[in-house]
Amino acid sequence: MGDVFDFIGKRIPSIDSMSKVTGSAKYIADLSLPGMLYGKFLRSPHAHARVVKIDTSRAEMLPGVKLVLTPDDIIGKTNPVGAARPRNQYALHREVRYVGDEVAAVAAVDEATAEEALELIQVTYEELPVVLDPEAAMVPGAPQLQEEARNNVRDLKRVRIGDIEKGLKEADYIVKGRFQTSKQVHAALDTHACLSSYDPATGKLTHWTRTQYVFYTRLSIAGALNMPASKVRVIAPPAIGGAFGNKSGSYAHDIAAAFMSRKLGQPVKMALSREEEFQATKSRHPFLIDAEIGLNKDGTIVAWREKAILDVGAYGDLNSWVALLGQAMAAGPYKIPNIWVDSYCVYTDKPVSGAMRGFGNPQITFARESLLDMAADQVGIDPVEIRLKNIIEPEDVPYTTSTGLIIRSCGIEECIKKAAQAVGWAEKRKPNTGVGMAGMMQQSGFKTLDADAEYATVNIELAADGSLLVRTGNSDVGQGLYTVLAQMAAEDLGIPLEEVTIIGADSEVTPPDLGCVSSRSPMTTGGALRIAAAEVKRKLFRIASNMLEVDPQDLVARQGKIHVKDMSRSVPIAEVAGAAYFTSVDGDAGPITAQGTWVSSTQPQNEDGYGNYAPCYAFAADAIEVEVEPATGEVKITKCVVAHDVGRTLNLDIVEGQLHGGAGMGIGYGLLEEGLVHASKTGQLLNPSIMSYKVPTALDLPDMQLILVETIDPVSPLGSKGVGDMGVACLAAAIANAIYDAVGVRITELPITPTKVLRALEAKREQSGT
């Protein structure tokens, strides 16, 4: 296609924008089926307890109640679910392990009746010891929360690269720190919900759910209910109001709704309230990180050692992946020869931790970039200079990091320099004002724990009138994937954008895809689309070449026509597509269709953590200017510069929207969002609502200057890189570094609240005697 595009890189509105602004978009809440029932959960008031007795008799007698489920109906009759083995989460539990854990379920004719029935269920509990601190949970003799986890450690991932002891011994400076991050929630506008409908005549289950990957959800539901996957159809609704990782995998409501629908032979809808969304869905893993960095006198980094404890909550999910990515990104965009990481995934009596935007990277970036500034201070080098001294430089590419990550394009140097210039790094500032920077790298795509590749498949059908149908098993959760796929199809085949239709995320009618995760979709699903489009173009050109009496290689498709390259003659694509139904050219006959599968090779990490985690990597440097009010500890961001290496920009509006949204979430993570706060002994959730959980609004966010750096990656089909995850990771560290520059206090625990700043300032004054 060359570097001149009709659709790629342009500001093109999302193809579903009109349906959303007019209210015609269909969410789960808008779906209804004849005879549909409403399901609700009874949740545990205790953080850790054994269910001794459940009396459901009064609930069962309530008019309108069709079914009441207890753990005895589920355990032993269904299988546990979870993203990785050992799987240990059922729809209902005999031993509850966090406040909000599911104990019983009701299906009734309406929501009000279901909720009334819950109040009639009587449960007798035997309270058990509560463990909320992951560090305390690892101590020998602590209460055992899961049978398979010795000292409550679900998994341990590690990195052993180089000689860490030698590297630290030979370092001129060793700087240490302890860093604590919070249990941030996704707070998507669209809460979790599903609608499940079982047909007794066919033995088939159709399940609508808000999910980022329908094919994994299909396997999960089929496995839980002991059904063939071919008898389970999973559909993501046309509209999903945000995900950010929280709609990956299957939840208790998916399994319970499917189970009740199969038992009753009627559709069952379950929708979580906002409080349940906070209380019983997944959230970001809190990390406790003890780290040390070794440097030479000139600022060269020679060693990094880290112990990370991940609070996984009550049950297993994507914890091992989060640990793997966190340690894969431990070095960030820097060349570090000696790396030692231990990542402990530890059970506690809290809601489950899972995937969230950035996927382990914001936690490790906060620790590394804070510690790097601390080291720069000790060595006496400017923070920008120390980063530029250690980064992967353009002339290094292609470059294999010490941990085995293969870097084929890298714009981190340009990101750092442009961010520093835009924030006015070298300018003199008034008192209590400072600047900070943080850098990072983020994977685009991923590897599974037990595979060395990932894939996506796309089907394309050219209709007889020349319009195009694209079928993908991937989900659009609001990020604009289907718009980008339509752009790519229109670009490759020369078809008007308005004539491209995307059919997505239905396990019965769309081809398999690993889903909308890990900033992979434009690369993997887009790659599959381009393979299929190339085959469609080949068939089109073979037929058009006969019609135009030229060789196929002398043709080009643009603006709805197939042209001879010298533009002397052309034929409408619609005419060629129509002729294809009745024409045979060297075996090409009938409707023009094609299927493309894109497979990316990665190298699984060996036991020492060496391997290539993803097909390609994006880079970023964010710079922040803050003003700190010493009397109150209040922090105000006065400048925010977000410089990101995004590869080729596919849709400028969507890329900018992703980076704005990611930065907003990163600022919330850094300054505002306390995370899920639990009472110290009971585990009761203290802030289960938007009113009590501080999510940043537009009024809380500064003006942002976005800088797009485009280093075209040769692995990605159009040279693009993922942007969904990368916007979050740098901001918390950049803010912490700017606060230190402004008032000389180092905050190592997120979020950086005014109270923490004020206490640090008071401690500093006491220490100095002023």
Side-chain angles (χ1 to χ4, degrees):
M1 287 194 304
D3 292 329
V4 178
F5 301 107
D6 291 325
F7 303 105
I8 296 301
K10 305 297 191 294
R11 293 189 182 276
I12 294 176
S14 294
I15 58 177
D16 61 353
S17 56
M18 285 301 295
S19 66
K20 288 181 177 177
V21 300
T22 59
S24 64
K26 298 300 182 184
Y27 296 83
I28 290 282
D30 300 308
L31 303 182
S32 181
L33 294 173
M36 187 177 75
L37 303 174
Y38 294 82
K40 290 289 181 181
F41 281 120
L42 179 68
R43 299 186 180 277
S44 168
H46 304 291
H48 194 196
R50 186 174 292 110
V51 176
V52 177
K53 181 182 178 181
I54 301 182
D55 183 351
T56 63
S57 58
R58 293 175 63 206
E60 290 170 350
M61 290 188 294
L62 183 68
V65 171
K66 300 300 182 181
L67 181 65
V68 180
L69 293 180
T70 71
D72 289 342
D73 298 307
I74 295 293
I75 298 174
K77 299 173 184 176
T78 65
N79 297 313
V81 297
R85 296 180 179 87
R87 298 184 174 97
N88 51 22
Q89 188 167 14
Y90 289 90
L92 304 173
H93 293 97
R94 293 192 184 107
E95 182 177 328
V96 293
R97 294 176 173 87
Y98 67 92
V99 175
D101 209 348
E102 295 85 4
V103 176
V106 170
V109 294
D110 54 46
E111 287 187 274
T113 302
E115 290 171 352
E116 183 179 353
L118 295 181
E119 296 177 0
L120 299 176
I121 299 173
Q122 296 180 324
V123 184
T124 302
Y125 295 95
E126 175 193 350
E127 292 192 54
L128 300 172
V130 175
V131 183
L132 299 174
D133 181 351
E135 199 169 24
M138 297 172 65
V139 175
Q144 186 87 359
L145 302 183
Q146 295 286 356
E147 291 182 0
E148 86 281 355
R150 182 181 179 186
N151 296 330
N152 293 310
V153 177
R154 173 178 168 85
D155 199 2
L156 169 61
K157 298 298 180 184
R158 69 177 202 171
V159 175
R160 301 289 187 269
I161 300 297
D163 188 334
I164 191 66
E165 296 298 339
K166 181 181 178 183
L168 291 172
K169 183 178 180 180
E170 294 178 354
D172 296 309
Y173 296 89
I174 297 176
V175 184
K176 301 180 180 182
R178 167 169 273 214
F179 304 88
Q180 175 72 60
T181 68
S182 66
K183 197 169 177 63
Q184 186 184 26
V185 302
H186 305 73
L189 291 177
D190 200 12
T191 62
H192 281 76
C194 67
L195 170 58
S196 206
S197 181
Y198 181 78
D199 183 354
T202 62
K204 180 179 174 182
L205 178 78
T206 302
H207 189 82
W208 292 264
T209 187
R210 292 164 179 153
T211 180
Q212 292 173 236
Y213 34 56
V214 296
F215 286 92
Y216 174 80
T217 303
R218 179 181 70 173
L219 287 175
S220 184
I221 294 172
L225 301 186
N226 292 304
M227 294 179 65
S230 61
K231 292 290 186 179
V232 177
R233 179 183 184 184
V234 175
I235 305 170
I240 297 176
F244 314 120
N246 198 24
K247 294 182 174 72
S248 56
S250 295
Y251 281 86
H253 59 272
D254 288 302
I255 307 306
F259 184 92
M260 290 192 289
S261 179
R262 185 173 67 171
K263 191 172 183 69
L264 294 169
Q266 290 180 255
V268 177
K269 178 189 281 189
M270 296 192 79
L272 302 192
S273 66
R274 178 61 64 181
E275 182 173 351
E276 288 179 299
E277 189 81 4
F278 277 88
Q279 185 183 52
T281 67
K282 299 160 192 171
S283 51
R284 191 182 297 283
H285 288 73
F287 276 40
L288 178 63
I289 300 173
D290 289 295
E292 55 185 325
I293 188 170
L295 306 94
N296 290 338
K297 291 179 180 179
D298 65 355
T300 300
I301 304 171
V302 296
W304 173 269
R305 179 154 61 189
E306 168 197 335
K307 176 185 176 182
I309 299 174
L310 287 69
D311 185 344
V312 309
Y315 303 104
D317 191 64
L318 289 163
N319 326 111
S320 298
W321 275 279
V322 173
L324 275 174
L325 178 62
Q327 63 189 31
M329 298 295 115
Y334 311 113
K335 295 180 282 190
I336 306 177
N338 304 296
I339 301 175
W340 174 296
V341 180
D342 285 324
S343 300
Y344 294 86
C345 301
V346 182
Y347 287 117
T348 61
D349 287 313
K350 295 178 185 175
V352 177
S353 300
M356 188 169 180
R357 200 174 197 174
F359 210 72
N361 208 357
Q363 297 95 318
I364 185 58
T365 297
F366 174 63
R368 183 192 62 247
E369 296 299 306
S370 296
L371 202 58
L372 188 55
D373 258 41
M374 294 161 64
D377 187 51
Q378 284 203 24
V379 179
I381 297 179
D382 180 83
V384 168
E385 182 183 341
I386 202 169
R387 287 175 169 81
L388 290 173
K389 186 172 187 61
N390 288 282
I391 56 170
I392 301 166
E393 298 176 279
E395 55 267 29
D396 296 326
V397 175
Y399 179 79
T400 301
T401 71
S402 61
T403 56
L405 306 182
I406 301 174
I407 311 300
R408 298 179 178 89
S409 64
C410 178
I412 185 62
E413 180 180 31
E414 187 175 350
C415 289
I416 291 173
K417 289 180 177 179
K418 286 186 173 181
Q421 181 180 13
V423 82
W425 187 266
E427 296 173 5
K428 290 185 178 180
R429 287 178 166 78
K430 61 184 180 181
N432 304 319
T433 303
V435 289
M437 176 177 284
M440 56 82 74
M441 64 183 289
Q442 182 83 44
Q443 91 290 351
S444 296
F446 71 105
K447 62 170 284 297
T448 63
L449 292 177
D450 52 4
D452 60 358
E454 64 160 322
Y455 70 90
T457 301
V458 167
N459 291 336
I460 291 181
E461 175 190 346
L462 188 66
D465 64 355
S467 61
L468 196 70
L469 295 170
V470 177
R471 294 180 174 88
T472 169
N474 208 338
S475 299
D476 191 323
V477 295
Q479 84 281 35
L481 171 62
Y482 292 170
T483 301
V484 169
L485 293 180
Q487 290 176 251
M488 295 172 77
E491 191 73 58
D492 279 2
L493 294 173
I495 293 173
L497 186 65
E498 60 272 15
E499 295 183 14
V500 179
T501 297
I502 308 296
I503 301 170
D506 182 334
S507 66
E508 192 165 273
V509 301
T510 59
D513 195 294
L514 289 178
C516 172
V517 293
S518 199
S519 299
R520 64 182 288 276
S521 299
M523 175 179 61
T524 54
T525 306
L529 184 150
R530 296 201 74 205
I531 292 170
E535 177 62 10
V536 167
K537 183 183 286 188
R538 183 192 70 80
K539 294 178 179 180
L540 267 176
F541 281 14
R542 292 296 296 274
I543 298 170
S545 67
N546 285 347
M547 300 170 76
L548 295 171
E549 298 181 339
V550 295
D551 194 274
Q553 66 183 11
D554 293 326
L555 298 175
V556 62
R558 284 197 70 190
Q559 299 176 342
K561 295 182 179 180
I562 298 175
H563 302 264
V564 179
K565 285 184 178 179
D566 62 9
M567 307 303 284
S568 60
R569 288 171 292 149
S570 66
V571 60
I573 290 176
E575 185 176 331
V576 180
Y581 274 71
F582 311 102
T583 303
S584 176
V585 179
D586 293 342
D588 289 335
I592 297 178
T593 64
Q595 177 170 293
T597 297
W598 193 85
V599 179
S600 68
S601 295
T602 57
Q603 179 185 352
Q605 282 95 336
N606 62 22
E607 62 181 12
D608 289 328
Y610 185 92
N612 188 33
Y613 190 95
C616 72
Y617 300 87
F619 298 84
D622 294 350
I624 292 286
E625 180 187 75
V626 301
E627 291 180 0
V628 180
E629 173 50 64
T632 63
E634 182 182 358
V635 177
K636 179 182 179 181
I637 298 176
T638 51
K639 289 183 182 179
C640 178
V641 180
V642 177
H644 285 236
D645 170 14
V646 300
R648 190 190 303 279
T649 299
L650 301 181
N651 183 311
L652 196 54
D653 278 346
I654 289 175
V655 168
E656 289 181 349
Q658 285 287 328
L659 295 183
H660 273 122
M665 187 174 282
I667 290 170
Y669 188 50
L671 287 178
L672 299 171
E673 298 182 51
E674 288 277 4
L676 297 180
V677 179
H678 296 82
S680 59
K681 294 182 179 179
T682 65
Q684 293 287 336
L685 183 58
L686 302 180
N687 57 339
S689 72
I690 295 295
M691 292 294 292
S692 55
Y693 180 93
K694 182 65 172 174
V695 176
T697 68
L699 297 178
D700 298 307
L701 299 175
D703 291 335
M704 300 178 192
Q705 181 178 349
L706 302 185
I707 298 173
L708 303 184
V709 173
E710 294 186 297
T711 62
I712 308 305
D713 196 276
V715 170
S716 184
L718 272 170
S720 67
K721 302 179 183 181
V723 296
D725 284 286
M726 65 189 297
V728 181
C730 286
L731 272 301
I735 292 167
N737 292 338
I739 292 170
Y740 181 83
D741 185 51
V743 292
V745 296
R746 172 64 58 182
I747 310 298
T748 59
E749 180 181 349
L750 296 179
I752 305 172
T753 62
T755 299
K756 292 173 185 175
V757 175
L758 192 59
R759 287 174 180 170
L761 288 169
E762 290 171 351
K764 179 186 175 185
R765 285 192 289 266
E766 290 176 4
Q767 188 175 11
S768 63
T770 60

